[in-house]
Amino acid sequence: MDDRISKTLKSWLRDTPRLALLAALAVVFLLPYAWMLAVSVKPKSEVFSAALSLWPATWHAAENYGQVLREVPVLRYLWNGAVVCALILAFQLAFALPAGYALAKLRFRGSRTLFAFVMLGLLVPAHVPAIALYIAFANAKLLNTYTALVAPFTISVFAIFLFRQFFKALPDDLINAARIDGMNEASIVWRVAVPNAWPAATAFAIFSVVAHWSDLFWPLIVITKGDLYTPALGVLRFHSQEAGDDYGALMAAATLTMAPLVAAFLVAQRRFIEGITMTGIKG
Amino acid sequence: MADAAIHRVAATAAVRAPIGEAAAAWLLTAPAIVAFVLMLLVPTIAVCLLALTDFELGVPTFQFVGLDNFAELMRDRNFAIPVRNTAFFVALVAPLSILMGLVLALLIEANPRGRTFFRAAFFLPVVSLMVAMATAWQYLLHPTIGPVNAILRDLGLATPNWLGSSEWALISIGLISIWENAGFNMVLIMAGLTAIPRELYAAAEIDGARSAWARLRLVTWPLLGPTMLFVVLITTIRAIRTFDTVAALTQGGPNKASELIVYTIYREGFTYLRMGYASAMTVVFLAVVLGLMALQTRLIERRTHYG
Amino acid sequence: MTGISVENIAKRFGDVAALKGVALDVAPGEFVSLVGPSGCGKTTLMRIIAGLEMPDAGTVRIAERDVTGLRAADRDVAMVFQSYALYPHLTARQNMAVPLVMRRLNGWQRIPFLGARLPGTRNIVANIADEILRTAQMLSIEALLDRRPGQLSGGQRQRVALGRAIVRRPKAFLLDEPLSNLDASLRVQTRKEIVELHRRVGASTVYVTHDQTEAMTMSDRVAVMMAGEILQIDPPERIYGDPADLRVAAFVGSPSINVFDASVETGGRVAVDGYATGLATRASGRVVFAVRPEDLAPDQRVGMPARVEHIEFLGESLLLHARHARTGTAMIARLDGRERGAFAVGHDLLLRPDTARAFLFESGGKRLRAERMAQSAAEPVHG
């Protein structure tokens, strides 16, 4: 027993330099979060006087968060963010799952060409078609609508690519068995392929939501009306127009808009990391 | 009876398969094709064509100007500066965030102790709303009330105006990007590390690779090759299209010192509404991205060994 | 003088005792197989000999040197892994060079480009190249030396892995299921080649396998392991013909040995449901009577009553699957293939064990030394 304790102790001791280095780095990485939370509950006077103390002398959380909720429709922004992310994801999956299946499992003329277009699409950053899309939406009087926020991202060539790779690994015999059992291709997609694609679909969903929840470029272009602001746009506007150097309120706003995704991450940490890694590695 | 029915179905299915399969394939891909053409293909081609015009939003007429936009870009100081800034930025952010990610991944994977916690801590920036974190960084780096300068002041060091001075603004944005990307690279590299068969380390040990360094050189580094190729590519592209922090913190200032190319495109196209000119910038941007990807793939592939 | 000597090795993984005080001696140049079902601890024992795993207790000696505390890199052992574990980015030649380079060149000399310019490097490198070529010739893989593992077939990879192990002439040679990733025909051929190679190299060899045929055909001695213990170490013919434990008897031989619940009656006579087996023992109570399929044959007069359930015709032989008429115990008899026509499913017959070659075990599994009784005593007790 003693032997075991001394063994554990020794292994901790040997591990100390590594743990110390990692802990120091983690402190640096988490610094912005610590101060963001601290400042969000400090009164203005403390923000200006005692920069290095994390714990507030006077608790000012109610005032800061209250001010944000009063002056800025934060909940509205969060709602917009959720709606936009959900719509984008729904369309991406609805378009990409069948396409990925067809490219992986069906033989037809033109499949190689289609796949070449997918690979080509992977190389083009989303900023490239933005100007033309903006002109089109402006002419169609679609600026300042959910449509403008969602439509450009309904197609994800990356999702098609990911699902194609995933379906490739599905045994052909499974598909053939479904055909023998009398299913047509559409029902094979929804009843055989998709239920087997959950790992890839979850991974992609996490990747997609993270990307679009945080996106600033496109909402900044097509949205000017406050009631359609996404969280990212809301923070930016609050930052540049109203808050000035009222850091308490600003940090409260930042905390509120960031909270949903970070909370989701902390709850389903492994899923998130697996999701990003899987989409990352295969991309 | 049932037998006969199954035979008949199987027979018709066999005959019909090739045509039915193609029709089904087109039906299944149709929504994706339509969306691809409308949202990606046509707009991208349109941008390439717009680059050859003097189109401005709100101006009723426009005309074909050939390569004039590109000629103007070559002379335009307002374009040369962001291009130079972006090159410097990528050269700063990509190597450092990859190195940081590699060091973190190797340190965390060296021992399962603390793995989950550290991985989450370093990954947190990836799932954080960048604009919100940018405001937190702005406070941290604030020249007078910011904690970073408070510490530097206590240590008796110089206290730069991180985001407000032309010497430091771009570097500060770069540091934030390194902070943002290191955790992302870390999880990619960790995935690459776990994919290395454990038996190879046992073999290296048997073969006499005594030090951790020898095993790193013999096994880890070569087998991480394909992962590193991918990490280098994706980090370069992530760095080159940095926008959020610039928009939130400096708007490219002071005096364009921290202006990056995507922000220039944004301002030219959507603030000044000079769409033709912004399109030409976009085309250059696209060409640079494609060129870099081709170059890196080529360079790294030559030195990477695939099993 | 011993090649490899292992004493009292114990190893726990959490609450599971993987090895419970194992001892094993391998003479110089001897080929010993560790065989047993998966999870019996054979791979753990090999990894402990290699130095890839540290034992909780016990000592490991290689060529008379205590290496218990040494790491793998400092022991003079070579190992062939189940997955071959070839470095995928190195050619076959470079793979074989690794163990030599790591041992003969120092850190400075191993630095690319620069190292080659240091004094002495050139000579060492030339020697290494020579030795690789000689080993490659021995394995007939000279033509493959400049290929990467990805460009080699399974059998070729296996040879390169063997080459990497042999090239440095180790004192001890460890093979961990090296044939399990090959297809059946290649396995038979490689079996023979490894034995020949062993004869030429002459190093003490420990060979881990779950395949009893490999163990029986290749080794000087076989160690049968189960549940973290070595049950018996003996030459193959003794393992088969004189098992020390019921589990050894049951593990070796295909189809598996027939096992009957037996009772000890007056005078120590052993009977299976009333059938006097002709064996006697000093033990009392319940014992186990076991006889191999080839030692069980139909008899007109005496034997255990059985009903034929299934017949497998294998060509030169035929397997009669039957069930004891009263106890329901399953039994298999191996008969001459030419008797194919003599039996049919559903037939009732008497199966008589060859007493001379049957075994007795305690109900706990340990072998009981049985005495053969006079032939007259082998008459059926009940008609």
Side-chain angles (χ1 to χ4, degrees):
Chain A
M1 206 55 213
D2 258 7
D3 195 44
R4 218 184 245 186
I5 291 172
S6 81
K7 234 181 203 174
T8 330
L9 205 70
K10 226 182 257 170
S11 90
W12 269 95
L13 227 58
R14 210 173 320 123
D15 206 17
T16 306
R18 183 189 77 100
L19 288 175
L21 184 55
L22 277 173
L25 287 167
V27 166
V28 173
F29 266 71
L30 296 178
L31 224 57
Y33 298 93
W35 257 292
M36 183 178 82
L37 286 175
V39 171
S40 78
V41 296
K42 277 184 184 176
K44 210 169 184 173
S45 56
E46 272 188 64
V47 172
F48 280 90
S49 59
L52 282 179
S53 76
L54 273 175
W55 203 254
T58 347
W59 199 255
H60 218 251
E63 289 80 350
N64 286 339
Y65 284 88
Q67 185 196 343
V68 171
L69 289 171
R70 247 187 346 268
E71 290 178 8
V72 195
V74 176
L75 295 178
R76 173 85 207 181
Y77 299 165
L78 295 178
W79 169 250
N80 288 338
V83 169
V84 167
C85 283
L87 283 174
I88 288 176
L89 180 62
F91 276 109
Q92 284 176 334
L93 290 178
F95 289 176
L97 278 166
Y101 169 79
L103 288 175
K105 288 294 179 198
L106 300 181
R107 284 159 302 152
F108 61 105
R109 292 185 58 177
S111 76
R112 289 167 68 96
T113 319
L114 287 187
F115 188 62
F117 272 108
V118 169
M119 297 304 287
L120 211 63
L122 281 176
L123 301 175
V124 180
H127 310 91
V128 172
I131 294 172
L133 285 171
Y134 176 80
I135 297 171
F137 285 127
N139 284 333
K141 303 260 177 288
L142 282 173
L143 296 180
N144 286 311
T145 60
Y146 277 141
T147 312
L149 281 172
V150 171
F153 305 109
T154 51
I155 181 69
S156 166
V157 278
F158 173 58
I160 297 178
F161 177 78
L162 183 73
F163 293 134
R164 174 189 178 271
Q165 299 307 90
F166 197 84
F167 288 138
K168 273 260 176 213
L170 217 59
D172 277 335
D173 283 349
L174 188 66
I175 311 290
N176 286 329
R179 283 185 193 139
I180 300 280
D181 290 346
M183 288 193 204
N184 60 28
E185 296 301 327
S187 41
I188 291 177
V189 172
W190 295 115
R191 290 184 194 191
V192 180
V194 171
N196 280 296
W198 274 123
T202 330
F204 176 74
I206 288 168
F207 167 84
S208 167
V209 168
V210 169
H212 294 292
W213 183 268
S214 310
D215 185 31
L216 177 66
F217 185 75
W218 185 248
L220 187 58
I221 291 170
V222 290
I223 301 299
T224 46
K225 280 214 189 97
D227 56 348
L228 279 172
Y229 279 4
T230 59
L233 201 49
V235 176
L236 185 75
R237 290 299 182 221
F238 184 62
H239 174 218
S240 58
Q241 288 163 7
E242 300 172 41
D245 44 4
D246 185 356
Y247 279 104
L250 190 54
M251 292 301 136
T255 308
L256 285 175
T257 48
M258 210 172 63
L261 209 54
V262 169
F265 167 68
L266 292 179
V267 170
Q269 205 215 105
R270 260 201 28 228
R271 279 262 134 129
F272 266 74
I273 292 176
E274 270 166 18
I276 301 276
T277 317
M278 182 172 170
T279 46
I281 287 286
K282 300 213 167 145
Chain B
M1 188 59 208
D3 254 23
I6 291 171
H7 273 298
R8 204 164 53 237
V9 170
T12 43
V15 172
R16 208 177 46 194
I19 308 164
E21 208 170 304
W26 287 110
L27 266 174
L28 291 174
T29 46
I33 294 174
V34 170
F36 179 84
V37 169
L38 285 181
M39 295 300 157
L40 212 61
L41 189 62
V42 169
T44 304
I45 295 171
V47 165
C48 293
L49 294 177
L50 276 174
L52 307 174
T53 70
D54 62 355
F55 185 88
E56 280 182 45
L57 201 69
V59 178
T61 61
F62 67 96
Q63 46 189 316
F64 182 78
V65 295
L67 296 175
D68 282 6
N69 283 332
F70 294 95
E72 192 184 335
L73 277 179
M74 303 286 277
R75 293 187 303 267
D76 190 352
R77 223 182 65 87
N78 289 337
F79 186 63
I81 291 173
V83 166
R84 217 179 313 131
N85 284 346
T86 307
F88 171 81
F89 185 81
V90 171
L92 174 78
V93 170
L96 287 180
S97 66
I98 292 168
L99 189 71
M100 192 77 197
L102 183 67
V103 167
L104 290 175
L106 288 173
L107 279 176
I108 291 175
E109 284 289 328
N111 192 320
R113 198 174 280 142
R115 185 171 189 270
T116 315
F117 169 75
F118 287 123
R119 199 176 56 166
F122 296 118
F123 191 74
L124 201 54
V126 181
V127 293
S128 302
L129 190 63
M130 245 350 253
V131 192
M133 288 322 292
T135 60
W137 274 105
Q138 186 178 43
Y139 169 73
L140 276 174
L141 297 175
H142 193 282
T144 51
I145 61 169
V148 170
N149 274 1
I151 294 170
L152 291 176
R153 209 174 295 123
D154 285 354
L155 295 173
L157 296 172
T159 54
N161 185 352
W162 293 101
L163 289 162
S165 68
S166 43
E167 300 97 333
W168 286 100
L170 190 56
I171 292 174
S172 301
I173 300 275
L175 290 177
I176 297 172
S177 274
I178 293 169
W179 170 83
E180 183 195 359
N181 282 307
F184 186 71
N185 293 337
M186 173 195 73
V187 296
L188 294 181
I189 294 170
M190 279 171 83
L193 286 175
T194 33
I196 298 176
R198 313 242 53 88
E199 282 205 335
L200 281 181
Y201 288 102
E205 178 80 38
I206 295 263
D207 284 344
R210 261 182 208 81
S211 60
W213 174 248
R215 283 192 299 278
L216 184 78
R217 257 187 58 193
L218 181 62
V219 179
T220 312
W221 187 247
L223 271 91
L224 215 49
T227 305
M228 289 312 283
L229 164 69
F230 173 73
V231 169
V232 169
L233 279 179
I234 205 159
T235 311
T236 307
I237 290 165
R238 280 168 73 94
I240 217 174
R241 61 184 191 204
T242 302
F243 174 77
D244 297 14
T245 35
V246 178
L249 296 180
T250 64
Q251 290 85 45
N255 198 19
K256 293 197 186 299
S258 65
E259 186 161 317
L260 297 179
I261 191 164
V262 174
Y263 191 78
T264 316
I265 292 173
Y266 163 77
R267 184 150 62 187
E268 203 65 37
F270 302 102
T271 311
Y272 305 150
L273 300 177
R274 294 182 60 199
M275 300 281 183
Y277 194 52
S279 293
M281 286 182 183
T282 307
V283 170
V284 173
F285 169 69
L286 179 61
V288 170
V289 169
L290 294 182
L292 266 177
M293 283 170 82
L295 182 73
Q296 283 186 338
T297 320
R298 188 70 59 83
L299 273 181
I300 300 180
E301 214 153 44
R302 197 178 298 163
R303 301 200 301 130
T304 312
H305 319 279
Y306 294 92
Chain C
M1 172 91 183
T2 50
I4 302 167
S5 165
V6 165
E7 277 165 41
N8 281 325
I9 293 290
K11 175 77 182 173
R12 303 182 68 85
F13 292 110
D15 287 334
V16 185
L19 294 173
K20 309 168 187 164
V22 170
L24 175 71
D25 277 308
V26 182
E30 193 184 19
F31 192 116
V32 171
S33 291
L34 291 178
V35 67
S38 55
C40 71
K42 54 189 194 295
T43 298
T44 307
L45 180 56
M46 166 164 286
R47 290 174 67 87
I48 285 174
I49 297 173
L52 295 171
E53 209 87 66
M54 287 297 156
D56 298 335
T59 53
V60 179
R61 281 196 189 79
I62 293 171
E64 306 288 310
R65 184 169 67 125
D66 187 342
V67 295
T68 315
L70 294 183
R71 23 192 308 203
D74 299 325
R75 301 182 182 191
D76 201 1
V77 295
M79 185 160 169
V80 175
F81 293 84
Q82 185 171 9
S83 65
Y84 313 138
L86 294 172
Y87 309 108
H89 57 291
L90 301 179
T91 62
R93 188 193 304 280
Q94 291 166 328
N95 262 288
M96 288 170 68
V98 170
L100 301 179
V101 166
M102 285 293 165
R103 287 197 160 70
R104 295 187 193 166
L105 296 180
N106 61 34
W108 295 105
Q109 290 169 321
R110 289 206 299 268
I111 296 172
F113 307 115
L114 198 77
R117 307 239 168 345
L118 290 174
T121 310
R122 185 176 303 215
N123 248 332
I124 301 173
V125 168
N127 283 341
I128 289 175
D130 262 11
E131 284 167 53
I132 290 172
L133 200 63
R134 249 180 293 142
T135 308
Q137 280 162 351
M138 194 153 85
L139 291 158
S140 350
I141 50 169
E142 307 101 291
L144 309 175
L145 282 179
D146 291 313
R147 298 207 200 149
R148 296 226 169 89
Q151 301 163 303
L152 299 174
S153 72
Q156 292 170 331
R157 274 182 228 180
Q158 209 259 356
R159 281 159 179 275
V160 175
L162 276 173
R164 180 176 64 177
I166 293 172
V167 73
R168 44 182 260 240
R169 312 272 155 185
K171 298 234 171 53
F173 200 32
L174 309 174
L175 297 106
D176 184 11
E177 309 234 5
L179 305 185
S180 62
N181 284 330
L182 299 180
D183 59 47
S185 64
L186 203 54
R187 216 177 296 167
V188 175
Q189 186 198 332
T190 316
R191 222 153 67 188
K192 199 176 109 223
E193 284 173 5
I194 289 181
V195 172
E196 277 165 13
L197 211 57
H198 168 254
R199 214 168 284 146
R200 293 177 60 178
V201 176
S204 303
T205 300
V206 177
Y207 184 99
V208 162
T209 179
H210 66 273
D211 180 355
Q212 44 155 315
T213 318
E214 280 176 25
M216 300 293 272
T217 52
M218 298 170 75
S219 340
D220 297 322
R221 285 191 300 155
V222 176
V224 181
M225 284 190 78
M226 273 184 218
E229 287 173 301
I230 293 183
L231 299 178
Q232 183 172 3
I233 314 178
D234 266 319
E237 57 278 11
R238 298 234 4 222
I239 292 282
Y240 188 78
D242 192 9
D245 192 291
L246 179 57
R247 287 173 288 173
V248 175
F251 184 75
V252 179
S254 169
S256 196
I257 197 163
N258 294 298
V259 174
F260 302 93
D261 237 348
S263 55
V264 182
E265 308 198 333
T266 46
R269 281 186 249 171
V270 175
V272 175
D273 188 49
Y275 169 76
T277 59
L279 293 180
T281 175
R282 294 211 174 85
S284 56
R286 310 297 302 174
V287 294
V288 174
F289 175 79
V291 61
R292 296 213 178 271
E294 63 269 30
D295 301 325
L296 196 61
D299 193 281
Q300 295 300 327
R301 298 184 304 116
V302 291
M304 297 179 282
R307 170 166 290 182
V308 178
E309 289 200 322
H310 177 57
I311 298 170
E312 274 181 287
F313 179 62
L314 302 171
E316 89 289 358
S317 66
L318 115 87
L319 297 178
L320 209 61
H321 295 253
R323 201 171 279 283
H324 195 287
R326 285 190 297 270
T327 64
T329 310
M331 40 185 145
I332 299 176
R334 185 195 290 275
L335 308 175
D336 193 315
R338 282 167 295 197
E339 293 180 54
R340 173 97 170 90
F343 306 97
V345 172
H347 273 190
D348 289 316
L349 42 71
L350 294 173
L351 286 173
R352 180 180 186 180
D354 178 350
T355 310
R357 306 173 71 168
F359 313 116
L360 281 186
F361 299 95
E362 289 174 6
S363 48
K366 272 192 80 168
R367 179 75 180 276
L368 279 174
R369 289 299 147 187
E371 293 156 27
R372 270 185 79 198
M373 302 184 64
Q375 191 58 44
S376 62
E379 294 297 323
V381 179
H382 324 288

